[in-house]
Amino acid sequence: MRPKDDKKIEAIYSATLYLNEHLGFTGMTMAKIAKEAGIATGTLYIYFKNKNELINSLYLYLKRQKAKNLMQDLSLDQPYKILFKDLFMRSMKNSMADFRESAFLEQYFRSPFIDEGIKTEGMQPFLPIFEIIEEAKKEMILKDVDTPYIFACMNGLLNEFTKSIKEDQIQWNEKSAETMFQMLWDALKN
Amino acid sequence: MRPKDDKKIEAIYSATLYLNEHLGFTGMTMAKIAKEAGIATGTLYIYFKNKNELINSLYLYLKRQKAKNLMQDLSLDQPYKILFKDLFMRSMKNSMADFRESAFLEQYFRSPFIDEGIKTEGMQPFLPIFEIIEEAKKEMILKDVDTPYIFACMNGLLNEFTKSIKEDQIQWNEKSAETMFQMLWDALKN
DNA sequence: TACTTAAGTGAATATAAATTCATTATATTT
DNA sequence: AAATATAATGAATTTATATTCACTTAAGTA
Protein backbone atom coordinates (compact mmCIF):
# COMPACT_ATOMS: atom_id res chain seq x y z
CA MET A 1 0.00 0.00 0.00
CA ARG A 2 0.98 3.57 -0.58
CA PRO A 3 2.30 5.47 2.46
CA LYS A 4 1.39 9.00 3.49
CA ASP A 5 3.89 11.63 2.56
CA ASP A 6 5.24 13.36 5.66
CA LYS A 7 6.46 16.30 3.64
CA LYS A 8 2.87 17.07 2.74
CA ILE A 9 2.02 17.88 6.32
CA GLU A 10 4.82 20.39 6.42
CA ALA A 11 3.70 21.86 3.12
CA ILE A 12 0.16 22.19 4.44
CA TYR A 13 1.33 23.86 7.63
CA SER A 14 3.51 26.23 5.69
CA ALA A 15 0.73 27.11 3.28
CA THR A 16 -1.65 27.73 6.15
CA LEU A 17 0.80 30.06 7.86
CA TYR A 18 1.43 31.88 4.62
CA LEU A 19 -2.24 32.44 3.91
CA ASN A 20 -2.98 33.39 7.49
CA GLU A 21 -0.36 36.09 7.34
CA HIS A 22 -1.36 37.48 3.98
CA LEU A 23 -5.11 37.07 3.89
CA GLY A 24 -6.17 36.62 7.49
CA PHE A 25 -8.61 34.03 8.70
CA THR A 26 -11.31 34.45 6.10
CA GLY A 27 -8.86 34.35 3.23
CA MET A 28 -7.52 31.07 4.49
CA THR A 29 -9.80 28.67 2.63
CA MET A 30 -9.23 24.97 2.29
CA ALA A 31 -9.03 25.32 -1.49
CA LYS A 32 -6.36 28.01 -1.25
CA ILE A 33 -4.39 26.09 1.36
CA ALA A 34 -4.39 23.06 -0.91
CA LYS A 35 -3.33 25.07 -3.94
CA GLU A 36 -0.57 26.82 -2.02
CA ALA A 37 0.64 23.47 -0.69
CA GLY A 38 0.61 22.02 -4.19
CA ILE A 39 -1.95 19.32 -3.55
CA ALA A 40 -5.61 18.71 -4.33
CA THR A 41 -8.35 19.92 -2.05
CA GLY A 42 -9.44 16.41 -1.24
CA THR A 43 -5.94 15.45 -0.16
CA LEU A 44 -6.20 17.89 2.72
CA TYR A 45 -8.94 15.72 4.13
CA ILE A 46 -6.70 12.67 4.06
CA TYR A 47 -4.27 14.43 6.40
CA PHE A 48 -6.77 16.39 8.51
CA LYS A 49 -10.36 15.51 9.32
CA ASN A 50 -11.49 19.07 8.75
CA LYS A 51 -10.37 22.66 8.88
CA ASN A 52 -10.75 22.92 12.62
CA GLU A 53 -8.51 19.93 13.18
CA LEU A 54 -5.91 21.37 10.84
CA ILE A 55 -5.79 24.59 12.80
CA ASN A 56 -5.64 22.87 16.17
CA SER A 57 -2.95 20.55 14.93
CA LEU A 58 -0.84 23.39 13.58
CA TYR A 59 -1.29 25.29 16.81
CA LEU A 60 0.04 22.46 18.90
CA TYR A 61 2.87 21.80 16.48
CA LEU A 62 4.05 25.40 16.68
CA LYS A 63 3.77 25.51 20.44
CA ARG A 64 5.92 22.44 20.80
CA GLN A 65 8.44 23.69 18.31
CA LYS A 66 8.64 27.00 20.14
CA ALA A 67 9.20 25.30 23.47
CA LYS A 68 11.87 23.10 21.95
CA ASN A 69 13.73 26.06 20.47
CA LEU A 70 13.46 27.81 23.79
CA MET A 71 14.86 25.09 25.98
CA GLN A 72 16.99 22.75 23.94
CA ASP A 73 20.53 22.69 25.31
CA LEU A 74 19.74 25.50 27.68
CA SER A 75 22.42 25.64 30.35
CA LEU A 76 20.86 26.26 33.72
CA ASP A 77 24.12 26.76 35.58
CA GLN A 78 24.71 30.38 34.67
CA PRO A 79 23.74 33.61 36.47
CA TYR A 80 20.02 34.28 36.22
CA LYS A 81 20.42 37.48 34.30
CA ILE A 82 22.39 35.63 31.64
CA LEU A 83 19.88 32.82 31.67
CA PHE A 84 16.97 35.17 31.10
CA LYS A 85 18.88 36.99 28.41
CA ASP A 86 19.42 33.66 26.75
CA LEU A 87 15.72 32.87 26.93
CA PHE A 88 14.85 36.32 25.61
CA MET A 89 17.22 36.00 22.66
CA ARG A 90 16.06 32.51 21.79
CA SER A 91 12.47 33.61 21.86
CA MET A 92 13.06 36.71 19.75
CA LYS A 93 15.23 34.85 17.25
CA ASN A 94 12.56 32.22 16.92
CA SER A 95 9.98 34.89 16.11
CA MET A 96 12.30 36.68 13.73
CA ALA A 97 13.03 33.48 11.86
CA ASP A 98 9.38 33.21 10.96
CA PHE A 99 6.95 36.00 11.72
CA ARG A 100 4.15 33.88 10.34
CA GLU A 101 4.37 31.56 13.31
CA SER A 102 4.03 34.15 15.99
CA ALA A 103 1.28 35.86 13.99
CA PHE A 104 -0.64 32.60 13.89
CA LEU A 105 -0.13 31.76 17.55
CA GLU A 106 -1.03 35.26 18.61
CA GLN A 107 -4.20 35.18 16.59
CA TYR A 108 -5.39 31.78 17.71
CA PHE A 109 -4.07 31.57 21.24
CA ARG A 110 -7.29 32.81 22.82
CA SER A 111 -9.69 32.20 19.98
CA PRO A 112 -12.63 29.81 20.17
CA PHE A 113 -11.11 27.80 17.32
CA ILE A 114 -8.54 26.17 19.54
CA ASP A 115 -10.08 23.52 21.76
CA GLU A 116 -9.43 23.88 25.47
CA GLY A 117 -7.64 20.55 25.62
CA ILE A 118 -5.22 21.63 22.92
CA LYS A 119 -4.54 24.88 24.73
CA THR A 120 -3.69 22.98 27.89
CA GLU A 121 -1.52 20.57 25.97
CA GLY A 122 0.27 23.47 24.33
CA MET A 123 1.11 24.86 27.75
CA GLN A 124 2.80 21.74 29.09
CA PRO A 125 6.14 22.09 27.30
CA PHE A 126 6.59 25.51 28.90
CA LEU A 127 6.27 24.36 32.49
CA PRO A 128 10.04 24.30 33.03
CA ILE A 129 10.03 28.05 32.50
CA PHE A 130 7.71 28.41 35.46
CA GLU A 131 10.14 26.49 37.60
CA ILE A 132 13.03 28.67 36.57
CA ILE A 133 11.01 31.73 37.53
CA GLU A 134 10.12 30.23 40.90
CA GLU A 135 13.73 29.54 41.71
CA ALA A 136 14.92 32.95 40.63
CA LYS A 137 12.31 34.46 42.93
CA LYS A 138 13.50 32.35 45.85
CA GLU A 139 17.00 33.59 45.31
CA MET A 140 15.73 37.17 45.39
CA ILE A 141 16.87 37.83 41.85
CA LEU A 142 13.39 38.46 40.51
CA LYS A 143 10.70 40.61 42.08
CA ASP A 144 8.70 38.93 44.80
CA VAL A 145 5.45 38.86 42.86
CA ASP A 146 3.28 35.95 41.81
CA THR A 147 4.64 34.07 38.82
CA PRO A 148 1.80 35.08 36.47
CA TYR A 149 2.99 38.68 36.72
CA ILE A 150 6.46 37.66 35.62
CA PHE A 151 5.10 35.48 32.89
CA ALA A 152 2.72 38.15 31.60
CA CYS A 153 5.54 40.65 31.60
CA MET A 154 7.81 38.41 29.55
CA ASN A 155 5.09 37.51 27.08
CA GLY A 156 3.77 41.02 26.76
CA LEU A 157 7.14 42.49 25.91
CA LEU A 158 8.15 39.63 23.66
CA ASN A 159 4.92 39.88 21.69
CA GLU A 160 4.91 43.61 21.33
CA PHE A 161 8.57 43.95 20.47
CA THR A 162 8.13 41.29 17.81
CA LYS A 163 5.20 43.13 16.31
CA SER A 164 7.00 46.46 16.39
CA ILE A 165 9.96 44.95 14.59
CA LYS A 166 7.69 43.44 12.00
CA GLU A 167 6.16 46.83 11.37
CA ASP A 168 9.58 48.48 11.11
CA GLN A 169 9.11 50.65 14.14
CA ILE A 170 12.04 48.99 15.84
CA GLN A 171 15.16 47.50 14.27
CA TRP A 172 16.42 44.05 15.02
CA ASN A 173 20.13 43.92 15.74
CA GLU A 174 22.59 43.35 18.56
CA LYS A 175 22.17 46.82 19.99
CA SER A 176 18.37 46.95 19.86
CA ALA A 177 18.18 43.49 21.39
CA GLU A 178 20.28 44.80 24.26
CA THR A 179 17.94 47.73 24.74
CA MET A 180 14.85 45.56 24.71
CA PHE A 181 16.29 43.05 27.12
CA GLN A 182 17.38 45.81 29.48
CA MET A 183 13.79 47.04 29.67
CA LEU A 184 12.50 43.55 30.30
CA TRP A 185 15.12 42.83 32.92
CA ASP A 186 14.43 46.07 34.76
CA ALA A 187 10.78 45.10 34.88
CA LEU A 188 11.55 41.66 36.28
CA LYS A 189 14.55 42.13 38.54
CA ASN A 190 14.25 42.69 42.25
CA MET B 1 -39.08 61.65 6.00
CA ARG B 2 -38.12 59.17 8.64
CA PRO B 3 -34.78 59.78 10.37
CA LYS B 4 -32.14 57.19 11.19
CA ASP B 5 -32.07 55.97 14.74
CA ASP B 6 -28.75 56.78 16.40
CA LYS B 7 -29.30 54.21 19.09
CA LYS B 8 -29.24 51.50 16.44
CA ILE B 9 -25.62 52.16 15.67
CA GLU B 10 -24.74 51.64 19.30
CA ALA B 11 -26.82 48.48 19.40
CA ILE B 12 -25.05 47.19 16.31
CA TYR B 13 -21.63 47.95 17.75
CA SER B 14 -22.54 46.29 21.00
CA ALA B 15 -23.90 43.21 19.27
CA THR B 16 -20.78 42.96 17.14
CA LEU B 17 -18.52 43.13 20.18
CA TYR B 18 -20.62 40.57 21.99
CA LEU B 19 -20.51 38.10 19.13
CA ASN B 20 -16.84 38.68 18.50
CA GLU B 21 -16.07 37.82 22.08
CA HIS B 22 -18.24 34.75 22.26
CA LEU B 23 -18.03 33.26 18.79
CA GLY B 24 -14.96 34.79 17.21
CA PHE B 25 -14.81 36.17 13.72
CA THR B 26 -16.51 33.36 11.86
CA GLY B 27 -19.36 33.22 14.31
CA MET B 28 -19.96 36.91 13.82
CA THR B 29 -22.37 36.78 10.89
CA MET B 30 -24.45 39.68 9.67
CA ALA B 31 -27.64 37.76 10.45
CA LYS B 32 -26.54 37.10 14.02
CA ILE B 33 -25.39 40.66 14.54
CA ALA B 34 -28.77 41.89 13.36
CA LYS B 35 -30.65 39.49 15.58
CA GLU B 36 -28.53 40.35 18.61
CA ALA B 37 -29.04 44.05 17.93
CA GLY B 38 -32.78 43.51 17.62
CA ILE B 39 -33.11 44.63 14.02
CA ALA B 40 -33.61 43.00 10.63
CA THR B 41 -30.68 41.85 8.55
CA GLY B 42 -31.42 44.37 5.83
CA THR B 43 -31.38 47.21 8.31
CA LEU B 44 -27.69 46.60 8.92
CA TYR B 45 -27.09 47.60 5.34
CA ILE B 46 -28.82 50.93 5.86
CA TYR B 47 -26.31 51.83 8.54
CA PHE B 48 -23.24 50.16 7.05
CA LYS B 49 -22.47 49.49 3.41
CA ASN B 50 -21.18 46.02 4.18
CA LYS B 51 -19.55 43.92 6.85
CA ASN B 52 -16.12 45.29 6.18
CA GLU B 53 -17.28 48.84 6.66
CA LEU B 54 -19.03 47.90 9.88
CA ILE B 55 -15.84 46.44 11.28
CA ASN B 56 -13.68 49.36 10.19
CA SER B 57 -16.18 51.80 11.59
CA LEU B 58 -16.34 50.04 14.94
CA TYR B 59 -12.57 49.87 15.06
CA LEU B 60 -12.21 53.62 14.63
CA TYR B 61 -15.00 54.31 17.09
CA LEU B 62 -13.30 52.23 19.78
CA LYS B 63 -9.92 53.77 19.14
CA ARG B 64 -11.29 57.26 19.54
CA GLN B 65 -13.21 56.34 22.65
CA LYS B 66 -10.09 54.79 24.13
CA ALA B 67 -8.02 57.88 23.42
CA LYS B 68 -10.71 60.07 24.93
CA ASN B 69 -10.86 58.03 28.12
CA LEU B 70 -7.11 58.13 28.29
CA MET B 71 -6.60 61.84 27.97
CA GLN B 72 -9.75 63.65 29.01
CA ASP B 73 -9.01 65.99 31.92
CA LEU B 74 -5.53 64.60 32.22
CA SER B 75 -3.44 66.99 34.30
CA LEU B 76 -0.01 67.37 32.80
CA ASP B 77 1.47 69.35 35.67
CA GLN B 78 2.31 66.49 37.97
CA PRO B 79 5.48 64.43 38.40
CA TYR B 80 6.02 62.09 35.47
CA LYS B 81 5.78 58.96 37.56
CA ILE B 82 2.35 60.04 38.77
CA LEU B 83 1.37 61.01 35.25
CA PHE B 84 2.31 57.61 33.87
CA LYS B 85 0.57 55.87 36.74
CA ASP B 86 -2.51 57.90 35.88
CA LEU B 87 -2.27 56.82 32.23
CA PHE B 88 -1.71 53.22 33.25
CA MET B 89 -4.73 53.18 35.55
CA ARG B 90 -6.98 54.87 33.02
CA SER B 91 -5.99 52.40 30.38
CA MET B 92 -6.46 49.38 32.59
CA LYS B 93 -9.78 50.61 33.95
CA ASN B 94 -10.97 51.18 30.43
CA SER B 95 -10.13 47.62 29.49
CA MET B 96 -11.66 46.26 32.68
CA ALA B 97 -14.89 48.12 32.05
CA ASP B 98 -15.37 46.22 28.83
CA PHE B 99 -13.13 43.32 27.91
CA ARG B 100 -14.98 42.99 24.64
CA GLU B 101 -13.49 46.20 23.37
CA SER B 102 -9.88 45.33 23.96
CA ALA B 103 -10.50 41.83 22.61
CA PHE B 104 -11.86 43.34 19.43
CA LEU B 105 -9.09 45.89 19.02
CA GLU B 106 -6.42 43.33 19.75
CA GLN B 107 -7.85 40.96 17.19
CA TYR B 108 -8.31 43.46 14.41
CA PHE B 109 -5.45 45.88 15.02
CA ARG B 110 -3.10 44.16 12.61
CA SER B 111 -5.58 42.17 10.57
CA PRO B 112 -6.13 42.73 6.85
CA PHE B 113 -9.76 43.64 7.58
CA ILE B 114 -8.87 47.07 8.81
CA ASP B 115 -7.93 49.37 5.94
CA GLU B 116 -4.58 51.11 6.23
CA GLY B 117 -6.21 54.54 6.20
CA ILE B 118 -8.40 53.62 9.13
CA LYS B 119 -5.40 52.33 11.05
CA THR B 120 -3.61 55.62 10.52
CA GLU B 121 -6.69 57.57 11.52
CA GLY B 122 -7.02 55.46 14.64
CA MET B 123 -3.47 56.41 15.61
CA GLN B 124 -3.95 60.16 15.46
CA PRO B 125 -5.79 60.63 18.77
CA PHE B 126 -2.86 59.02 20.56
CA LEU B 127 -0.19 61.41 19.29
CA PRO B 128 -0.21 63.48 22.50
CA ILE B 129 1.07 60.40 24.31
CA PHE B 130 4.11 60.40 22.06
CA GLU B 131 4.80 64.00 23.03
CA ILE B 132 4.56 63.21 26.71
CA ILE B 133 7.07 60.42 26.24
CA GLU B 134 9.44 62.70 24.33
CA GLU B 135 9.40 65.29 27.08
CA ALA B 136 9.90 62.76 29.83
CA LYS B 137 12.92 61.46 27.96
CA LYS B 138 14.37 64.98 27.65
CA GLU B 139 14.05 65.42 31.37
CA MET B 140 15.93 62.16 31.90
CA ILE B 141 12.99 60.55 33.65
CA LEU B 142 12.54 57.84 31.07
CA LYS B 143 15.24 55.69 29.50
CA ASP B 144 17.09 57.29 26.63
CA VAL B 145 15.74 54.92 23.99
CA ASP B 146 13.72 55.62 20.87
CA THR B 147 10.06 56.28 21.57
CA PRO B 148 8.81 53.12 19.85
CA TYR B 149 10.56 51.05 22.54
CA ILE B 150 8.71 52.94 25.23
CA PHE B 151 5.45 52.68 23.38
CA ALA B 152 5.87 48.98 22.70
CA CYS B 153 6.69 48.41 26.33
CA MET B 154 3.58 50.19 27.53
CA ASN B 155 1.31 48.45 25.05
CA GLY B 156 2.83 45.06 25.58
CA LEU B 157 2.37 45.11 29.32
CA LEU B 158 -1.05 46.69 29.15
CA ASN B 159 -2.29 44.07 26.68
CA GLU B 160 -0.86 41.09 28.45
CA PHE B 161 -1.91 42.15 31.93
CA THR B 162 -5.42 42.72 30.65
CA LYS B 163 -5.54 39.27 29.12
CA SER B 164 -4.14 37.63 32.24
CA ILE B 165 -6.76 39.32 34.36
CA LYS B 166 -9.47 38.18 32.00
CA GLU B 167 -8.26 34.63 32.33
CA ASP B 168 -8.13 34.86 36.13
CA GLN B 169 -4.39 34.41 36.32
CA ILE B 170 -4.03 37.84 37.89
CA GLN B 171 -6.48 39.67 40.16
CA TRP B 172 -7.57 43.22 39.55
CA ASN B 173 -7.45 45.38 42.66
CA GLU B 174 -5.54 48.26 44.19
CA LYS B 175 -2.62 46.11 45.24
CA SER B 176 -2.22 44.18 41.99
CA ALA B 177 -2.46 47.42 40.03
CA GLU B 178 0.40 48.75 42.12
CA THR B 179 2.48 45.66 41.36
CA MET B 180 1.81 45.84 37.64
CA PHE B 181 2.59 49.51 37.44
CA GLN B 182 5.80 49.05 39.37
CA MET B 183 6.99 46.54 36.77
CA LEU B 184 6.05 48.86 33.94
CA TRP B 185 7.71 51.82 35.58
CA ASP B 186 10.91 49.92 36.24
CA ALA B 187 11.01 49.01 32.57
CA LEU B 188 10.54 52.61 31.46
CA LYS B 189 12.38 54.69 34.02
CA ASN B 190 15.93 55.86 33.57
C1' DT C 1 4.10 -8.95 -13.30
C1' DA C 2 -0.36 -8.80 -11.51
C1' DC C 3 -2.74 -7.67 -7.32
C1' DT C 4 -4.03 -5.03 -3.37
C1' DT C 5 -4.65 -1.11 -0.77
C1' DA C 6 -4.46 3.34 0.40
C1' DA C 7 -3.04 8.00 -1.41
C1' DG C 8 -4.31 11.48 -4.47
C1' DT C 9 -7.57 14.06 -7.47
C1' DG C 10 -10.86 17.77 -8.45
C1' DA C 11 -15.43 18.36 -10.05
C1' DA C 12 -19.86 18.03 -7.85
C1' DT C 13 -22.55 18.80 -3.70
C1' DA C 14 -23.89 20.67 0.55
C1' DT C 15 -23.75 24.31 3.55
C1' DA C 16 -23.37 28.73 5.12
C1' DA C 17 -23.19 33.47 5.02
C1' DA C 18 -23.34 38.19 2.59
C1' DT C 19 -26.11 41.02 0.15
C1' DT C 20 -30.29 42.48 -2.37
C1' DC C 21 -34.92 43.95 -3.10
C1' DA C 22 -39.94 44.11 -3.32
C1' DT C 23 -42.78 45.37 0.16
C1' DT C 24 -44.40 47.58 4.51
C1' DA C 25 -44.14 50.93 8.30
C1' DT C 26 -43.25 55.41 10.10
C1' DA C 27 -41.70 60.04 10.73
C1' DT C 28 -41.88 64.54 8.66
C1' DT C 29 -43.79 68.06 5.54
C1' DT C 30 -47.43 70.60 3.07
C1' DA D 1 -55.11 64.33 6.50
C1' DA D 2 -52.79 63.19 2.45
C1' DA D 3 -48.36 63.04 0.33
C1' DT D 4 -43.58 61.98 0.46
C1' DA D 5 -39.34 60.14 1.54
C1' DT D 6 -36.72 57.18 3.88
C1' DA D 7 -36.26 53.54 7.49
C1' DA D 8 -37.23 48.81 8.33
C1' DT D 9 -38.26 44.13 7.08
C1' DG D 10 -36.94 39.32 6.00
C1' DA D 11 -37.41 36.04 2.41
C1' DA D 12 -35.05 35.23 -1.87
C1' DT D 13 -30.77 35.44 -4.25
C1' DT D 14 -26.01 35.39 -4.86
C1' DT D 15 -21.69 34.20 -3.56
C1' DA D 16 -18.32 31.75 -1.15
C1' DT D 17 -16.41 27.88 1.05
C1' DA D 18 -16.23 23.28 3.39
C1' DT D 19 -16.72 18.72 2.47
C1' DT D 20 -17.67 14.54 -0.21
C1' DC D 21 -17.00 10.94 -3.50
C1' DA D 22 -16.42 8.30 -7.79
C1' DC D 23 -12.50 7.73 -9.97
C1' DT D 24 -7.30 7.51 -10.94
C1' DT D 25 -2.57 6.74 -9.58
C1' DA D 26 1.26 4.78 -7.21
C1' DA D 27 3.62 2.10 -3.65
C1' DG D 28 4.26 -2.17 -1.61
C1' DT D 29 3.44 -7.36 -1.76
C1' DA D 30 2.74 -12.14 -3.42
Side-chain angles (χ1 to χ4, degrees):
Chain A
M1 67 177 177
R2 192 175 175 186
K4 281 191 193 174
D5 179 355
D6 273 357
K7 293 214 169 152
K8 287 217 171 65
I9 291 191
E10 265 185 61
I12 293 168
Y13 282 163
S14 179
T16 308
L17 290 174
Y18 175 83
L19 288 167
N20 177 62
E21 181 179 20
H22 291 282
L23 304 176
F25 181 81
T26 51
M28 212 175 83
T29 71
M30 292 300 262
K32 282 186 197 153
I33 290 172
K35 193 175 180 189
E36 177 73 25
I39 60 176
T41 314
T43 310
L44 272 183
Y45 288 84
I46 291 170
Y47 290 86
F48 301 96
K49 206 174 93 231
N50 53 40
K51 190 177 184 182
N52 193 60
E53 200 180 84
L54 162 55
I55 288 176
N56 275 271
S57 173
L58 175 52
Y59 174 85
L60 193 53
Y61 171 79
L62 291 179
K63 274 288 196 180
R64 285 178 173 154
Q65 195 177 273
K66 216 177 169 73
K68 192 176 156 195
N69 278 328
L70 197 58
M71 286 174 283
Q72 201 166 41
D73 307 317
L74 182 71
S75 57
L76 294 168
D77 56 354
Q78 48 188 340
Y80 279 110
K81 186 174 178 182
I82 309 291
L83 178 57
F84 277 90
K85 174 91 185 273
D86 196 355
L87 287 170
F88 174 77
M89 292 303 287
R90 281 163 181 251
S91 197
M92 288 301 289
K93 277 178 187 162
N94 187 221
S95 299
M96 293 306 111
D98 197 345
F99 279 127
R100 303 174 313 171
E101 297 183 5
S102 41
F104 182 89
L105 286 175
E106 167 94 7
Q107 181 163 2
Y108 287 98
F109 183 36
R110 305 179 203 247
S111 88
F113 291 107
I114 308 297
D115 304 334
E116 280 309 315
I118 296 289
K119 280 185 194 170
T120 309
E121 220 174 319
M123 259 296 171
Q124 302 312 307
F126 292 90
L127 293 183
I129 300 292
F130 277 86
E131 287 177 32
I132 293 174
I133 293 174
E134 294 293 349
E135 289 198 26
K137 282 197 305 186
K138 264 191 211 127
E139 303 204 17
M140 315 283 278
I141 307 290
L142 295 187
K143 286 187 171 66
D144 180 28
V145 300
D146 288 342
T147 303
Y149 291 87
I150 305 282
F151 207 67
C153 200
M154 290 172 70
N155 279 329
L157 291 188
L158 247 5
N159 281 341
E160 202 67 25
F161 283 143
T162 300
K163 290 190 271 190
S164 297
I165 291 169
K166 185 180 179 183
E167 299 190 346
D168 287 324
Q169 288 149 2
I170 292 181
Q171 302 283 309
W172 173 242
N173 54 46
E174 195 108 356
K175 186 157 172 287
S176 72
E178 194 57 56
T179 302
M180 289 183 262
F181 177 69
Q182 192 57 55
M183 295 180 93
L184 173 58
W185 186 247
D186 284 349
L188 301 184
K189 79 161 194 271
N190 199 345
Chain B
M1 69 176 177
R2 192 174 175 183
K4 281 191 193 175
D5 179 355
D6 273 357
K7 295 215 166 150
K8 288 217 172 61
I9 292 191
E10 266 184 62
I12 292 168
Y13 281 164
S14 178
T16 307
L17 290 173
Y18 175 83
L19 288 167
N20 177 62
E21 182 179 18
H22 291 283
L23 305 177
F25 181 79
T26 50
M28 210 175 81
T29 71
M30 292 300 261
K32 280 187 199 152
I33 291 171
K35 193 174 178 189
E36 178 71 26
I39 60 177
T41 314
T43 310
L44 272 182
Y45 289 83
I46 291 169
Y47 290 86
F48 301 97
K49 206 173 93 233
N50 53 41
K51 191 178 184 181
N52 194 60
E53 199 179 85
L54 162 55
I55 287 176
N56 275 271
S57 173
L58 175 53
Y59 174 85
L60 193 53
Y61 170 79
L62 292 178
K63 274 289 196 181
R64 286 178 172 154
Q65 194 177 273
K66 217 176 169 73
K68 193 177 156 194
N69 278 329
L70 197 58
M71 286 174 284
Q72 200 167 42
D73 307 317
L74 182 71
S75 57
L76 296 167
D77 56 354
Q78 47 188 340
Y80 278 112
K81 185 174 178 182
I82 309 292
L83 179 56
F84 277 90
K85 173 93 186 272
D86 196 355
L87 287 170
F88 174 77
M89 291 302 288
R90 280 164 182 250
S91 198
M92 288 300 289
K93 278 178 188 162
N94 188 222
S95 299
M96 292 306 112
D98 197 345
F99 280 127
R100 303 174 313 172
E101 298 182 4
S102 40
F104 182 90
L105 287 175
E106 166 94 7
Q107 179 162 5
Y108 287 97
F109 184 35
R110 307 181 200 244
S111 88
F113 292 107
I114 308 297
D115 304 334
E116 281 308 315
I118 296 288
K119 280 184 193 169
T120 310
E121 220 175 320
M123 260 296 174
Q124 303 312 307
F126 292 90
L127 293 183
I129 299 291
F130 277 86
E131 288 178 32
I132 293 174
I133 293 174
E134 294 293 349
E135 290 199 24
K137 281 197 306 186
K138 266 190 211 128
E139 303 204 15
M140 315 282 277
I141 306 290
L142 294 186
K143 286 187 170 66
D144 181 29
V145 300
D146 289 342
T147 303
Y149 291 88
I150 306 281
F151 207 66
C153 199
M154 289 171 71
N155 278 329
L157 291 189
L158 247 5
N159 281 341
E160 202 66 23
F161 282 144
T162 301
K163 290 190 271 190
S164 297
I165 291 169
K166 185 179 179 185
E167 299 190 346
D168 287 324
Q169 288 150 1
I170 292 182
Q171 302 283 310
W172 174 241
N173 54 46
E174 196 107 355
K175 188 158 170 290
S176 71
E178 193 58 54
T179 301
M180 291 184 258
F181 177 69
Q182 191 59 54
M183 296 180 93
L184 172 58
W185 186 246
D186 284 348
L188 301 184
K189 78 159 194 271
N190 199 344

